[in-house]
Amino acid sequence: MLGYLRLQLLATARNKRYLIFTVGFPLILYVAITASITGPDSQKYAVAYLVSMSVFGVMGGVLMTTGPAIANERKSGWLRQLRLLPISERGVFVGKVATAMATALPSLIAVALAARFFKNVHLGAGTWVELIAAVWLGCLPFAAIGVLIGYVFDGESARMISALLHSLLAFLGGLYFPVDTGGLHRVAQLLPSYRVYELGNDVIHSQTLSGVGIAILAGYAVVFGGLATLRIRRAGGLTA
Amino acid sequence: MSSAAIAIKDLVVRYGSVTAVDHVDLTIQRGQTVALLGPNGAGKTTTVKSMLGVLKPTAGNVTIYGGTPRAAIVAGHIAALQQDGGLMDGVTVRELVTFVRGLYKKPMPPDQIVDVAGLAEFLDKRANSLSGGQTQRVRFGLALAGDPDILVLDEPTAAMDVESRRSFWASMRSFADAGRTVLFATHYLEEADAVADRVIVMARGRVVSDGSVTALKAGVGARQVRFTLGSDSAAGLDRLPGVVGVQRHGAAVALRTTDPEATVRALLANRDRVPDLEVSGASLEEAFLAVTAETN
């Protein structure tokens, strides 16, 4: 298991395109958006976009390292090869999720550093740690969704669907601009992206974490994790 | 305790209404090098997959050293080489070998893997930048990583050029010479002829022949009598004593016969000239065609 994680991390760390998109993009967005907002409320936005861009980055990183990569490995035959080795299907699944989560951390830290040193956002040390932990763990459902995408869709469609889902969830989840009212809000409340964002905000504003939010996130993780597991099992016997 | 490396009992695999493997029984003893031959769709790959536990049989079972295939994979008793497919992106051959060795309790020493599979020249190259032949060597190296007693190969040389194929089989022979069991599916008859000490022929999901290469050739009985017919008609040749088949190749004709002596006597008695007369044993290809056609 650890060997597999190590191997996967090595491969991801060498993937320049991944690093540019998943680490660079949220960072640039954060800096650009917050720089364009001036006036008395600018500090408030610096904090709000710290949370939303952290979620945006981790969600993107997790979705892009699971689905497209798995679809590629199914096509190339590497996953079939793994099945002939003493590593279980669960081991591969856990390895994929763990890799995605681990490789999404740098973007989270990059956005946090930009907030702290570029926008002078001051939070207590404990709050920083809690924020990072909440956003990071809150994005676990996206890893399950990503694995499922990788097993359901092939090559280019897996990549497009992951990218589309990322933008859609970011937009509807209120990561680009707030969706606090109306029909959009009702939709947002059902989405994992909104719920992670809410979790991060609760941490920053020292509010009690939303139980409903956590339950919805856990629900997404369980449902999509379960579907992915079923799909992996079914793919087991008949592929190639 | 049975000493069989692989025991297949009454194996049946159906995909929907298609029966891919139809009641196959096979026992492979330790140390044998076995070729599994057959035309496309004969059930070779399905049999191999059942052997590795990646496919659940409809009925019957496969045991490796008395246990399940999966247990044998985990214990490093058996390893397999597929016919093609890529390796993981973004890592070197060395990193892949290290990873796979790490999955086993008693792996083969890295130097030995590099040596037997012939990986030295591209050990630090990215695994996905290699040629087809090199990729297959890496896969062979990964299959060796657990120091297996049994190696199962499914058309291992399908993606290789002639030179890679030759050096691949040389490596394979040195592996088999160490007393290990090798089973390979192939449709290259010359590979079976050169490497295997036992040839199992499958057709339409069944085993139609099982024995040594010599026995397979002899089993079809027939020998071949060949001569140049020129523009003469081949009519009547099939009524000569012993003749079971007539095949015309341009100006030449080949008679398959169960009694070459009687056939030749009759030929010489009936014809003024029998130019380029030649009597030979059946080739493996003819033997193969004969046994796979019989069950039609």
Side-chain angles (χ1 to χ4, degrees):
Chain A
M1 246 310 294
L2 282 177
Y4 185 56
L5 183 61
R6 186 181 159 274
L7 189 74
Q8 293 249 109
L9 289 177
L10 264 176
T12 316
R14 287 182 187 141
N15 187 341
K16 291 190 188 67
R17 195 163 57 165
Y18 167 79
L19 291 176
I20 291 166
F21 275 92
T22 61
V23 183
F25 194 46
L27 181 64
I28 291 165
L29 267 187
Y30 177 74
V31 171
I33 292 172
T34 54
S36 70
I37 299 169
T38 50
D41 278 346
S42 69
Q43 211 49 25
K44 199 185 93 190
Y45 285 109
V47 175
Y49 277 101
L50 158 64
V51 181
S52 65
M53 285 303 117
S54 302
V55 175
F56 179 80
V58 177
M59 176 167 75
V62 165
L63 283 174
M64 297 318 280
T65 37
T66 46
I70 291 170
N72 275 341
E73 291 186 353
R74 275 197 307 122
K75 188 172 175 226
S76 80
W78 174 241
L79 283 181
R80 261 187 293 143
Q81 177 101 22
L82 281 180
R83 297 185 61 233
L84 299 174
L85 296 175
I87 178 168
S88 63
E89 279 163 1
R90 181 177 300 147
V92 173
F93 178 80
V94 173
K96 291 288 179 205
V97 170
T99 310
M101 293 304 286
T103 50
L105 257 181
S107 82
L108 184 51
I109 288 165
V111 173
L113 286 175
R116 172 64 187 79
F117 294 106
F118 175 70
K119 297 307 293 183
N120 288 312
V121 172
H122 287 278
L123 302 173
T127 311
W128 278 115
V129 172
E130 281 172 36
L131 174 68
I132 288 173
V135 171
W136 191 57
L137 292 175
C139 284
L140 204 56
F142 301 116
I145 293 171
V147 172
L148 183 64
I149 290 174
Y151 275 94
V152 173
F153 299 98
D154 294 329
E156 208 42 43
S157 16
R159 180 171 299 281
M160 280 175 56
I161 284 165
S162 303
L164 196 70
L165 195 65
H166 181 213
S167 305
L168 209 63
L169 284 175
F171 172 73
L172 294 174
L175 303 184
Y176 294 140
F177 56 85
V179 283
D180 291 338
T181 50
L184 273 183
H185 181 64
R186 275 197 291 279
V187 173
Q189 283 184 310
L190 300 172
L191 299 177
S193 46
Y194 177 81
R195 292 300 182 172
V196 192
Y197 179 43
E198 181 188 53
L199 206 60
N201 277 323
D202 288 350
V203 166
I204 282 197
H205 302 295
S206 306
Q207 287 165 0
T208 328
L209 302 183
S210 154
V212 177
I214 293 173
I216 286 179
L217 288 172
Y220 271 100
V222 169
V223 168
F224 283 93
L227 286 174
T229 311
L230 280 179
R231 185 71 197 197
I232 293 169
R233 256 188 225 142
R234 217 179 66 191
L238 293 172
T239 43
Chain B
M1 143 134 197
S2 105
S3 71
I6 304 173
I8 300 179
K9 292 207 181 73
D10 204 27
L11 183 72
V12 178
V13 181
R14 287 194 194 96
Y15 299 107
S17 62
V18 179
T19 303
V21 174
D22 192 4
H23 300 281
V24 164
D25 280 282
L26 282 175
T27 305
I28 313 288
Q29 301 298 341
R30 287 173 201 230
Q32 283 186 335
T33 299
V34 181
L36 188 57
L37 276 175
N40 286 335
K44 304 189 297 287
T45 296
T46 306
T47 304
V48 166
K49 279 188 183 171
S50 309
M51 240 177 246
L52 298 169
V54 293
L55 189 143
K56 209 170 172 292
T58 312
N61 72 80
V62 178
T63 53
I64 313 288
Y65 289 144
T68 65
R70 187 65 202 169
I73 287 179
V74 171
H77 292 321
I78 187 170
L81 189 59
Q82 304 173 94
Q83 55 178 289
D84 55 12
L87 297 163
M88 190 174 150
D89 270 3
V91 291
T92 65
V93 173
R94 188 191 299 276
E95 286 158 355
L96 272 183
V97 170
T98 306
F99 157 64
V100 177
R101 283 187 74 248
L103 298 173
Y104 294 98
K105 286 202 184 70
K106 280 179 271 175
M108 186 181 273
D111 294 348
Q112 199 184 343
I113 297 174
V114 170
D115 198 40
V116 177
L119 308 180
E121 356 159 1
F122 42 87
L123 201 52
D124 288 305
K125 277 195 166 179
R126 289 287 176 86
N128 58 345
S129 70
L130 305 176
S131 72
Q134 290 173 328
T135 303
Q136 194 63 332
R137 281 169 170 278
V138 174
R139 231 185 268 110
F140 180 39
L142 299 184
L144 293 176
D147 203 2
D149 311 313
I150 311 170
L151 203 52
V152 174
L153 314 105
D154 187 9
E155 301 192 8
T157 59
M160 290 188 193
D161 59 33
V162 178
E163 191 42 51
S164 326
R165 196 172 288 168
R166 187 169 304 142
S167 66
F168 177 80
W169 284 115
S171 312
M172 194 57 56
R173 224 171 283 129
S174 71
F175 175 84
D177 285 346
R180 287 179 271 211
T181 313
V182 176
L183 181 138
F184 64 100
T186 185
H187 55 244
Y188 293 111
L189 303 174
E190 62 273 28
E191 287 184 347
D193 207 356
V195 185
D197 41 48
R198 176 178 170 194
V199 177
I200 296 165
V201 184
M202 288 187 76
R204 286 164 299 279
R206 295 202 178 136
V207 173
V208 293
S209 162
D210 183 356
S212 68
V213 175
T214 339
L216 172 62
K217 288 180 186 171
V220 284
R223 300 199 159 237
Q224 183 170 263
V225 173
R226 212 179 144 96
F227 64 98
T228 300
L229 194 57
S231 54
D232 294 359
S233 156
L237 290 176
D238 56 338
R239 285 195 299 274
L240 292 176
V243 171
V244 290
V246 177
Q247 237 185 336
R248 199 160 180 163
H249 308 283
V253 69
L255 311 177
R256 211 163 68 223
T257 168
T258 52
D259 187 352
E261 194 187 340
T263 308
V264 171
R265 275 181 196 285
L267 260 182
L268 294 171
N270 294 354
R271 302 180 70 87
D272 297 339
R273 292 199 63 230
V274 187
D276 306 323
L277 178 66
E278 185 181 298
V279 180
S280 59
S283 70
L284 184 59
E285 187 178 352
E286 286 159 335
F288 173 73
L289 288 174
V291 293
T292 53
E294 263 168 25
T295 47
N296 250 329

